[in-house]
Amino acid sequence: QVQLVESGGGLVQAGGSLRLSCAASGRIFAIASMAWYRQAPEKGRELVAHITSTGVTTYLESVKERFTILRGNTKNTVYLQMNSLKPEDTAVYFCSAGGVYDGRSVNNYWGQGTQVTVSS
């Protein structure tokens, strides 16, 4: 069973920074892509940043130039560096891993989420 564990959320003042981490563990042969989503209260889940196994990245328009998604050296980890945070960035942030090959099948997985709160 593959698990994703996030860390790094918390409370920060507007203009501050946070770094989220996500580590995938279990029987993993390859991961095609990893991403960060977020969900604010009473809103739908939205894609914040995405990175492929070859390092191609895409971002939500509102976080461009402020957030950076990075994959770790092990390729089973992903980070989200968040700078110049705004109150509207407040949400639960979820890590996802897409196209995870475990030797038998390919599946997608989600982490449990980590709360990010930005105070004004």
Side-chain angles (χ1 to χ4, degrees):
Q1 182 70 18
V2 173
Q3 289 187 323
L4 301 182
V5 178
E6 301 118 329
S7 60
L11 173 64
V12 64
Q13 288 188 332
S17 298
L18 282 174
R19 184 179 176 96
L20 304 182
S21 300
C22 173
S25 62
R27 184 177 174 84
I28 300 172
F29 280 56
I31 299 177
S33 65
M34 299 187 80
W36 289 95
Y37 288 74
R38 69 185 182 188
Q39 186 165 14
E42 300 182 1
K43 292 188 177 180
R45 190 171 296 190
E46 62 180 356
L47 176 63
V48 176
H50 178 272
I51 185 167
T52 69
S53 59
T54 58
V56 177
T57 58
T58 55
Y59 294 93
L60 180 68
E61 188 65 32
S62 63
V63 307
K64 285 181 179 178
E65 309 301 328
R66 299 189 298 121
F67 291 11
T68 302
I69 187 169
L70 304 162
R71 287 187 77 161
N73 292 332
T74 65
K75 303 298 183 184
N76 288 350
T77 57
V78 67
Y79 306 97
L80 186 67
Q81 178 65 44
M82 305 185 293
N83 299 327
S84 302
L85 282 160
K86 303 176 180 180
E88 51 263 43
D89 294 319
T90 295
V92 178
Y93 284 70
F94 297 90
C95 173
S96 76
V100 181
Y101 178 56
D102 63 7
R104 294 183 179 182
S105 61
V106 178
N107 294 286
N108 302 322
Y109 295 91
W110 290 90
Q112 80 286 355
T114 185
Q115 177 69 47
V116 171
T117 302
V118 184
S119 63
S120 57

